Amino acid sequence: MSTNRQLTAVIEKEDDVYVAFCPEVDIVSQGESIESARANLREALELFFEGAPEEEVRGRFHEDIFVTSVGVAVG
């Protein structure tokens, strides 16, 4: 039985592509736009969850992911 989960997607522009990273399971993908990077990450995640053994999923899954900002002095 499958369940739906909300996972984190961190997307960053690197040179001429966007790199999308899911910190919960350390999966990375990329695309030519933010939207394509996000869609490609979703596909990579779906393929991972479909094909990876349950033991690997449990071993890679990080439950406590917090996204926040930090203010620092620069310069």
Side-chain angles (χ1 to χ4, degrees):
M1 176 161 120
S2 68
T3 60
N4 288 326
R5 292 193 72 149
Q6 291 294 315
L7 299 174
T8 306
V10 178
I11 302 174
E12 178 181 21
K13 187 163 186 179
E14 290 188 12
D15 298 322
D16 60 345
V17 298
Y18 290 89
V19 176
F21 169 62
C22 177
E24 284 92 344
V25 289
D26 297 326
I27 300 288
V28 178
S29 193
Q30 67 182 27
E32 293 180 1
S33 67
I34 292 170
E35 295 79 15
S36 67
R38 185 173 182 265
N40 291 342
L41 179 61
R42 174 183 280 127
E43 181 180 9
L45 288 164
E46 288 171 347
L47 290 170
F48 170 70
F49 287 119
E50 286 174 10
E54 183 65 30
E55 185 176 297
E56 182 178 355
V57 172
R58 278 194 312 269
R60 290 178 67 167
F61 211 93
H62 307 285
E63 291 284 340
D64 296 326
I65 300 293
F66 302 96
V67 178
T68 186
S69 62
V70 178
V72 296
V74 178

